[in-house]
Protein backbone atom coordinates (compact mmCIF):
# COMPACT_ATOMS: atom_id res chain seq x y z
CA UNK A 1 0.00 0.00 0.00
CA UNK A 2 2.91 2.37 0.66
CA UNK A 3 3.41 3.08 -3.05
CA UNK A 4 0.00 4.85 -3.02
CA UNK A 5 0.92 7.07 -0.11
CA UNK A 6 2.38 10.58 -0.34
CA UNK A 7 6.10 11.04 -0.77
CA UNK A 8 8.62 13.73 -1.70
CA UNK A 9 11.54 12.65 -3.85
CA UNK A 10 14.81 12.80 -2.00
CA UNK A 11 13.21 13.74 1.34
CA UNK A 12 10.75 11.08 2.52
CA UNK A 13 9.60 7.94 0.75
CA UNK A 14 6.09 6.53 0.85
CA UNK A 15 7.27 3.73 3.14
CA UNK A 16 8.76 6.30 5.54
CA UNK A 17 5.46 8.20 5.54
CA UNK A 18 3.66 4.95 6.34
CA UNK A 19 6.09 4.32 9.20
CA UNK A 20 5.46 7.79 10.63
CA UNK A 21 1.68 7.36 10.39
CA UNK A 22 2.03 4.05 12.22
CA UNK A 23 4.03 5.80 14.95
CA UNK A 24 1.09 8.15 15.55
CA UNK A 25 -1.36 5.25 15.65
CA UNK A 26 0.89 3.46 18.15
CA UNK A 27 0.39 6.34 20.61
CA UNK A 28 -3.38 6.45 20.13
CA UNK A 29 -5.38 5.63 23.26
CA UNK A 30 -8.00 2.84 23.28
CA UNK A 31 -10.76 5.46 23.21
CA UNK A 32 -9.46 6.80 19.90
CA UNK A 33 -7.90 9.92 21.43
CA UNK A 34 -4.45 10.95 20.20
CA UNK A 35 -2.37 12.64 22.93
CA UNK A 36 0.58 14.94 22.30
CA UNK A 37 2.76 12.01 23.36
CA UNK A 38 2.16 8.88 25.42
CA UNK A 39 0.66 9.84 28.79
CA UNK A 40 0.26 13.52 27.85
CA UNK A 41 -2.89 15.54 27.30
CA UNK A 42 -5.15 15.67 24.24
CA UNK A 43 -6.47 18.82 22.61
CA UNK A 44 -8.94 18.71 19.76
CA UNK A 45 -6.84 20.72 17.27
CA UNK A 46 -3.76 18.49 17.45
CA UNK A 47 -5.94 15.40 17.71
CA UNK A 48 -7.70 16.28 14.43
CA UNK A 49 -4.37 17.04 12.76
CA UNK A 50 -3.18 13.58 13.80
CA UNK A 51 -6.32 12.03 12.31
CA UNK A 52 -5.71 13.83 9.02
CA UNK A 53 -2.14 12.59 8.91
CA UNK A 54 -3.07 9.01 9.78
CA UNK A 55 -5.70 9.04 7.05
CA UNK A 56 -3.30 9.99 4.26
CA UNK A 57 -0.57 7.81 5.82
CA UNK A 58 -2.62 4.64 5.42
CA UNK A 59 -3.92 4.30 9.00
CA UNK A 60 -7.55 4.66 7.95
CA UNK A 61 -9.15 2.71 10.79
CA UNK A 62 -7.13 4.60 13.41
CA UNK A 63 -8.03 7.91 11.79
CA UNK A 64 -11.72 7.15 11.79
CA UNK A 65 -11.62 6.00 15.42
CA UNK A 66 -9.99 9.35 16.18
CA UNK A 67 -12.83 11.22 14.48
CA UNK A 68 -15.45 9.11 16.27
CA UNK A 69 -13.95 10.15 19.62
CA UNK A 70 -14.24 13.90 18.96
CA UNK A 71 -18.01 14.35 19.55
CA UNK A 72 -17.82 12.33 22.77
CA UNK A 73 -15.98 15.25 24.39
CA UNK A 74 -18.10 18.05 22.94
CA UNK A 75 -20.19 20.07 25.37
CA UNK A 76 -23.77 21.23 25.05
CA UNK A 77 -22.73 24.73 23.95
CA UNK A 78 -20.70 23.29 21.04
CA UNK A 79 -17.24 23.83 22.55
CA UNK A 80 -14.55 21.39 23.60
CA UNK A 81 -12.37 21.59 26.73
CA UNK A 82 -8.83 22.81 26.25
CA UNK A 83 -7.08 19.78 27.76
CA UNK A 84 -8.16 16.17 28.25
CA UNK A 85 -6.01 13.61 30.08
CA UNK A 86 -6.90 9.92 29.98
CA UNK A 87 -10.48 10.78 29.12
CA UNK A 88 -10.91 13.32 31.93
CA UNK A 89 -11.10 17.08 31.49
CA UNK A 90 -7.92 18.68 32.81
CA UNK A 91 -8.59 22.26 31.64
CA UNK A 92 -12.26 23.04 31.13
CA UNK A 93 -11.82 26.31 29.27
CA UNK A 94 -13.27 26.32 25.77
CA UNK A 95 -10.70 27.45 23.19
CA UNK A 96 -11.99 28.75 19.87
CA UNK A 97 -9.26 27.50 17.54
CA UNK A 98 -9.53 23.97 18.90
CA UNK A 99 -13.31 24.03 18.74
CA UNK A 100 -13.28 25.14 15.09
CA UNK A 101 -10.79 22.67 13.64
CA UNK A 102 -13.06 19.64 13.38
CA UNK A 103 -14.46 21.31 10.23
CA UNK A 104 -11.05 21.12 8.55
CA UNK A 105 -10.62 17.47 9.47
CA UNK A 106 -14.08 16.48 8.25
CA UNK A 107 -13.64 18.31 4.94
CA UNK A 108 -10.22 16.66 4.54
CA UNK A 109 -11.79 13.25 5.13
CA UNK A 110 -14.34 14.01 2.42
CA UNK A 111 -11.61 14.96 -0.04
CA UNK A 112 -9.71 11.74 0.61
CA UNK A 113 -12.52 9.20 1.09
CA UNK A 114 -15.62 10.76 -0.58
CA UNK A 115 -17.76 9.15 2.12
CA UNK A 116 -20.92 11.25 2.36
CA UNK A 117 -22.38 9.16 5.18
CA UNK A 118 -19.26 9.92 7.25
CA UNK A 119 -19.71 13.65 6.65
CA UNK A 120 -23.40 13.50 7.54
CA UNK A 121 -22.59 11.61 10.74
CA UNK A 122 -20.28 14.32 12.09
CA UNK A 123 -21.81 17.44 10.54
CA UNK A 124 -23.97 18.26 13.61
CA UNK A 125 -20.84 18.34 15.77
CA UNK A 126 -18.97 20.57 13.32
CA UNK A 127 -21.97 22.89 12.99
CA UNK A 128 -22.38 23.26 16.75
CA UNK A 129 -18.68 23.92 17.18
CA UNK A 130 -18.53 26.65 14.56
CA UNK A 131 -21.74 28.24 15.84
CA UNK A 132 -20.08 28.54 19.25
CA UNK A 133 -16.88 29.91 17.73
CA UNK A 134 -18.50 32.70 15.71
CA UNK A 135 -20.37 33.69 18.86
CA UNK A 136 -16.99 34.70 20.33
CA UNK A 137 -16.20 37.23 17.58
CA UNK A 138 -15.06 40.66 18.75
CA UNK A 139 -16.13 43.92 17.07
CA UNK A 140 -12.82 44.35 15.21
CA UNK A 141 -13.22 40.87 13.68
CA UNK A 142 -10.83 38.70 15.70
CA UNK A 143 -12.20 35.76 17.71
CA UNK A 144 -11.88 35.93 21.49
CA UNK A 145 -9.65 32.98 22.35
CA UNK A 146 -11.75 31.82 25.31
CA UNK A 147 -14.99 33.21 26.74
CA UNK A 148 -13.23 34.05 30.01
CA UNK A 149 -10.04 35.73 28.73
CA UNK A 150 -9.79 39.06 26.98
CA UNK A 151 -8.43 39.40 23.48
CA UNK A 152 -7.96 37.38 20.33
CA UNK A 153 -4.92 35.36 19.27
CA UNK A 154 -3.64 36.00 15.77
CA UNK A 155 -2.47 32.45 15.05
CA UNK A 156 -5.67 30.93 16.38
CA UNK A 157 -7.91 33.38 14.54
CA UNK A 158 -5.96 32.76 11.32
CA UNK A 159 -6.59 29.03 11.69
CA UNK A 160 -10.29 29.69 12.32
CA UNK A 161 -10.44 31.47 8.96
CA UNK A 162 -9.51 28.16 7.33
CA UNK A 163 -11.99 26.30 9.53
CA UNK A 164 -14.82 28.61 8.49
CA UNK A 165 -14.02 28.08 4.81
CA UNK A 166 -14.03 24.31 5.42
CA UNK A 167 -17.29 24.64 7.32
CA UNK A 168 -18.96 26.54 4.49
CA UNK A 169 -17.68 23.95 2.00
CA UNK A 170 -19.30 21.22 4.11
CA UNK A 171 -22.49 23.27 4.38
CA UNK A 172 -22.61 23.62 0.59
CA UNK A 173 -22.01 19.89 0.17
CA UNK A 174 -24.92 19.09 2.49
CA UNK A 175 -27.17 21.94 1.27
CA UNK A 176 -27.32 23.41 4.77
CA UNK A 177 -26.37 27.10 4.24
CA UNK A 178 -24.62 28.94 7.07
CA UNK A 179 -24.64 32.64 6.06
CA UNK A 180 -23.62 33.79 9.54
CA UNK A 181 -20.33 31.89 9.15
CA UNK A 182 -19.69 33.70 5.88
CA UNK A 183 -20.28 37.09 7.50
CA UNK A 184 -18.03 36.16 10.41
CA UNK A 185 -15.39 34.92 7.96
CA UNK A 186 -15.45 38.19 6.05
CA UNK A 187 -14.89 40.21 9.22
CA UNK A 188 -12.23 37.77 10.43
CA UNK A 189 -10.29 37.77 7.18
CA UNK A 190 -10.29 41.55 7.13
CA UNK A 191 -8.98 41.65 10.71
CA UNK A 192 -6.13 39.23 9.93
CA UNK A 193 -5.16 41.22 6.85
CA UNK A 194 -5.62 44.77 8.13
CA UNK A 195 -5.71 44.81 11.93
CA UNK A 196 -3.00 42.46 13.17
CA UNK A 197 -2.04 45.12 15.71
CA UNK A 198 -5.36 44.59 17.51
CA UNK A 199 -4.64 40.97 18.37
CA UNK A 200 -2.83 39.99 21.55
CA UNK A 201 0.91 40.54 21.16
CA UNK A 202 2.53 37.14 20.71
CA UNK A 203 5.10 38.32 18.17
CA UNK A 204 7.90 36.38 19.84
CA UNK A 205 6.27 33.17 18.59
CA UNK A 206 6.88 32.11 15.00
CA UNK A 207 3.28 30.94 14.70
CA UNK A 208 2.06 34.54 14.83
CA UNK A 209 4.35 35.31 11.91
CA UNK A 210 3.33 32.64 9.39
CA UNK A 211 -0.20 31.64 10.44
CA UNK A 212 -1.97 34.49 8.60
CA UNK A 213 -0.55 32.89 5.44
CA UNK A 214 -1.10 29.27 6.50
CA UNK A 215 -4.73 29.94 7.42
CA UNK A 216 -5.34 31.49 4.02
CA UNK A 217 -6.40 35.03 4.89
CA UNK A 218 -3.18 36.53 3.49
CA UNK A 219 -2.20 35.53 -0.03
CA UNK A 220 -0.33 36.85 -3.06
CA UNK A 221 2.27 39.59 -2.80
CA UNK A 222 1.11 40.42 0.74
CA UNK A 223 1.92 36.88 1.85
CA UNK A 224 5.43 36.99 0.39
CA UNK A 225 6.01 40.37 2.01
CA UNK A 226 4.76 39.17 5.38
CA UNK A 227 7.02 36.11 5.39
CA UNK A 228 10.03 38.23 4.46
CA UNK A 229 9.53 40.51 7.48
CA UNK A 230 10.83 37.96 9.99
CA UNK A 231 12.47 35.25 7.91
CA UNK A 232 15.91 35.89 9.36
CA UNK A 233 14.53 36.06 12.91
CA UNK A 234 13.07 32.57 12.83
CA UNK A 235 14.69 30.47 10.09
CA UNK A 236 17.90 28.67 11.07
CA UNK A 237 19.55 27.37 7.88
CA UNK A 238 20.05 23.63 7.87
CA UNK A 239 17.92 23.02 10.98
CA UNK A 240 14.39 24.44 10.60
CA UNK A 241 12.68 27.34 12.35
CA UNK A 242 12.62 28.61 15.88
CA UNK A 243 9.48 28.25 17.96
CA UNK A 244 10.24 31.56 19.69
CA UNK A 245 12.66 34.23 18.54
CA UNK A 246 14.49 34.43 21.88
CA UNK A 247 15.61 30.80 22.16
CA UNK A 248 18.09 28.65 20.18
CA UNK A 249 15.42 25.97 19.72
CA UNK A 250 14.07 24.76 16.39
CA UNK A 251 10.86 22.75 16.34
CA UNK A 252 9.63 20.31 13.73
CA UNK A 253 5.92 21.13 13.80
CA UNK A 254 6.42 24.85 13.28
CA UNK A 255 8.93 24.17 10.52
CA UNK A 256 6.49 21.94 8.67
CA UNK A 257 3.67 24.43 9.09
CA UNK A 258 5.88 27.07 7.49
CA UNK A 259 6.59 24.54 4.73
CA UNK A 260 2.85 24.33 4.08
CA UNK A 261 2.47 28.11 4.16
CA UNK A 262 5.24 28.42 1.56
CA UNK A 263 3.65 25.71 -0.57
CA UNK A 264 0.35 27.58 -0.39
CA UNK A 265 1.88 30.62 -2.08
CA UNK A 266 3.92 28.62 -4.57
CA UNK A 267 7.34 29.03 -2.95
CA UNK A 268 8.25 25.40 -3.43
CA UNK A 269 12.01 25.87 -3.44
CA UNK A 270 12.16 27.17 0.12
CA UNK A 271 9.42 24.78 1.24
CA UNK A 272 11.36 21.76 0.01
CA UNK A 273 14.55 23.05 1.59
CA UNK A 274 12.95 23.45 5.00
CA UNK A 275 11.27 20.04 4.84
CA UNK A 276 14.64 18.46 4.12
CA UNK A 277 16.37 20.53 6.82
CA UNK A 278 14.08 19.34 9.63
CA UNK A 279 14.63 15.63 8.96
CA UNK A 280 17.40 15.61 11.57
CA UNK A 281 14.49 15.30 14.03
CA UNK A 282 13.45 11.92 12.62
CA UNK A 283 13.95 9.07 15.07
CA UNK A 284 13.58 5.30 15.01
CA UNK A 285 10.28 3.82 13.81
CA UNK A 286 9.42 7.04 11.97
CA UNK A 287 8.81 9.07 15.13
CA UNK A 288 9.86 12.71 15.39
CA UNK A 289 11.49 14.61 18.19
CA UNK A 290 9.69 17.83 19.11
CA UNK A 291 12.76 20.03 18.74
CA UNK A 292 16.51 20.61 18.86
CA UNK A 293 18.49 23.07 20.97
CA UNK A 294 21.38 24.21 18.81
CA UNK A 295 24.57 25.20 20.55
CA UNK A 296 23.84 22.62 23.25
CA UNK A 297 23.06 20.19 20.41
CA UNK A 298 20.43 18.15 22.20
CA UNK A 299 16.87 17.09 21.45
CA UNK A 300 14.46 18.85 23.79
CA UNK A 301 12.09 18.03 25.28
CA UNK A 302 13.02 14.38 25.41
CA UNK A 303 9.86 13.21 23.69
CA UNK A 304 8.44 12.22 20.33
CA UNK A 305 5.20 14.03 19.60
CA UNK A 306 2.24 13.01 17.47
CA UNK A 307 1.65 16.57 16.34
CA UNK A 308 5.19 16.84 14.96
CA UNK A 309 4.82 13.56 13.08
CA UNK A 310 1.43 14.69 11.77
CA UNK A 311 2.79 18.01 10.52
CA UNK A 312 5.55 16.16 8.66
CA UNK A 313 3.06 13.91 6.87
CA UNK A 314 0.79 16.80 5.90
CA UNK A 315 3.76 18.80 4.63
CA UNK A 316 4.91 15.83 2.54
CA UNK A 317 1.39 15.45 1.16
CA UNK A 318 1.28 19.15 0.24
CA UNK A 319 4.62 19.09 -1.56
CA UNK A 320 3.93 15.71 -3.12
CA UNK A 321 1.95 17.48 -5.84
CA UNK A 322 5.10 19.12 -7.18
CA UNK A 323 7.86 16.77 -6.03
CA UNK A 324 6.49 13.26 -5.71
CA UNK A 325 3.02 11.93 -5.02
CA UNK A 326 0.10 13.40 -3.09
CA UNK A 327 -3.29 12.34 -1.80
CA UNK A 328 -6.60 13.90 -2.83
CA UNK A 329 -6.44 15.94 0.36
CA UNK A 330 -3.08 17.56 -0.33
CA UNK A 331 -4.54 20.99 -1.04
CA UNK A 332 -6.15 21.39 2.37
CA UNK A 333 -3.71 24.13 3.43
CA UNK A 334 -3.58 25.76 0.00
CA UNK A 335 -7.34 26.12 0.28
CA UNK A 336 -7.97 25.14 -3.32
CA UNK A 337 -10.91 22.94 -2.38
CA UNK A 338 -12.37 25.14 0.35
CA UNK A 339 -15.25 27.56 0.02
CA UNK A 340 -14.27 30.83 -1.72
CA UNK A 341 -12.69 33.61 0.30
CA UNK A 342 -15.31 35.62 2.13
CA UNK A 343 -16.46 39.08 1.13
CA UNK A 344 -15.69 41.86 3.61
CA UNK A 345 -19.28 42.74 4.46
CA UNK A 346 -20.80 44.40 7.51
CA UNK A 347 -17.48 45.31 9.10
CA UNK A 348 -17.63 46.65 12.65
CA UNK A 349 -14.04 47.94 12.84
CA UNK A 350 -14.71 51.32 11.26
CA UNK A 351 -13.26 50.47 7.83
CA UNK A 352 -15.38 50.74 4.71
CA UNK A 353 -16.63 47.29 3.77
CA UNK A 354 -17.11 45.94 0.27
CA UNK A 355 -20.84 46.69 0.26
CA UNK A 356 -20.23 50.27 1.40
CA UNK A 357 -17.59 50.80 -1.27
CA UNK A 358 -19.96 49.40 -3.90
CA UNK A 359 -22.76 51.75 -2.79
CA UNK A 360 -20.47 54.76 -2.82
CA UNK A 361 -19.48 53.92 -6.39
CA UNK A 362 -23.11 53.55 -7.43
CA UNK A 363 -22.85 49.79 -7.95
CA UNK A 364 -25.10 47.11 -6.44
CA UNK A 365 -23.37 45.41 -3.48
Amino acid sequence: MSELLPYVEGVLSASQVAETAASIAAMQEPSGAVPWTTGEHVDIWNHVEAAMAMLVGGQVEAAERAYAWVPTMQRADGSWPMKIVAGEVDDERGEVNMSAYFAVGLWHHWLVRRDLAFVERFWPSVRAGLDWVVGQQLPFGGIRWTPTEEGALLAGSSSIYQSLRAGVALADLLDDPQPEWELAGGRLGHAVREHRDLFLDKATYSMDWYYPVLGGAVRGDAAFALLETRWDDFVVPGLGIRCVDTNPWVTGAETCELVMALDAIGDHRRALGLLADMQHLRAEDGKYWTGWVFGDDVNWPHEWTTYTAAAVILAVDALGEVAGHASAGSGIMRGTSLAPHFSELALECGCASADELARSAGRPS
Side-chain angles (χ1 to χ4, degrees):
M1 184 178 180
S2 64
E3 66 273 10
L4 302 178
L5 301 184
Y7 65 85
V8 171
E9 290 282 2
V11 180
L12 278 188
S13 67
S15 61
Q16 287 174 312
V17 167
E19 187 179 44
T20 296
S23 79
I24 299 172
M27 287 193 262
Q28 187 174 31
E29 297 173 356
S31 65
V34 182
W36 281 21
T37 192
T38 302
E40 251 287 0
H41 76 272
V42 183
D43 73 68
I44 298 301
W45 198 102
N46 285 291
H47 169 89
V48 168
E49 182 188 41
M52 293 163 65
M54 289 192 293
L55 185 67
V56 299
Q59 296 287 328
V60 177
E61 188 273 336
E64 294 189 345
R65 283 201 302 118
Y67 282 125
W69 175 83
V70 174
T72 69
M73 299 304 300
Q74 190 172 26
R75 297 181 290 209
D77 64 1
S79 70
W80 280 269
M82 193 174 292
K83 288 184 178 182
I84 301 156
V85 178
E88 300 294 327
V89 175
D90 186 62
D91 186 337
E92 65 182 13
R93 290 176 298 168
E95 205 272 4
V96 289
N97 179 37
M98 297 176 189
S99 296
Y101 206 59
F102 195 16
V104 175
L106 189 58
W107 181 248
H108 181 261
H109 187 279
W110 164 251
L111 295 175
V112 175
R113 302 289 289 177
R114 297 289 169 170
D115 184 343
L116 187 60
F118 192 89
V119 174
E120 291 172 334
R121 175 184 174 188
F122 295 109
W123 171 240
S125 183
V126 166
R127 186 175 56 205
L130 285 178
D131 280 345
W132 179 80
V133 167
V134 300
Q136 310 304 318
Q137 190 162 37
L138 298 169
F140 83 93
I143 311 290
R144 185 194 304 273
W145 74 284
T146 81
T148 55
E149 275 93 1
E150 294 296 324
L153 296 172
L154 178 56
S157 288
S158 297
S159 179
I160 291 168
Y161 184 81
Q162 181 196 23
S163 294
L164 286 171
R165 289 181 67 202
V168 171
L170 289 164
D172 290 345
L173 175 67
L174 297 176
D175 194 22
D176 186 7
Q178 303 294 323
E180 68 280 9
W181 298 355
E182 298 183 46
L183 289 172
R187 292 193 291 267
L188 176 58
H190 175 79
V192 172
R193 287 185 288 272
E194 305 296 337
H195 298 301
R196 290 193 287 271
D197 59 313
L198 298 181
F199 290 88
L200 295 172
D201 184 6
K202 301 291 182 181
T204 193
Y205 291 90
S206 60
M207 291 177 67
D208 258 34
W209 164 55
Y210 63 76
Y211 248 91
V213 178
L214 182 64
V218 179
R219 285 287 189 261
D221 290 344
F224 280 96
L226 177 58
L227 293 182
E228 286 308 308
T229 60
R230 303 209 62 193
W231 184 271
D232 292 337
D233 295 335
F234 289 112
V235 177
V236 183
L239 293 178
I241 76 167
R242 298 174 190 251
C243 178
V244 294
D245 59 12
T246 55
N247 296 340
W249 180 46
V250 294
T251 48
E254 281 79 1
T255 301
C256 287
E257 287 180 338
L258 178 57
V259 166
M260 290 184 276
L262 290 165
D263 170 74
I265 60 174
D267 192 345
H268 299 125
R269 179 185 62 82
R270 291 198 294 186
L272 286 164
L274 282 169
L275 183 63
D277 285 350
M278 65 79 58
Q279 295 306 317
H280 66 94
L281 295 173
R282 189 174 179 89
E284 61 181 17
D285 301 323
K287 297 178 287 191
Y288 278 83
W289 296 100
T290 300
W292 172 262
V293 180
F294 54 94
D296 291 344
D297 294 343
V298 294
N299 289 113
W300 185 86
H302 196 79
E303 63 184 15
W304 306 287
T305 39
T306 56
Y307 62 79
T308 304
V312 172
I313 292 174
L314 295 178
V316 168
D317 196 28
L319 286 175
E321 284 207 2
V322 295
H325 178 73
S327 79
S330 69
I332 192 68
M333 298 301 177
R334 289 191 297 275
T336 49
S337 69
L338 299 176
H341 290 284
F342 304 113
S343 298
E344 295 179 0
L345 303 176
L347 299 178
E348 300 176 36
C349 57
C351 298
S353 61
D355 51 348
E356 292 169 329
L357 291 171
R359 285 196 298 270
S360 68
R363 302 190 305 272
S365 58

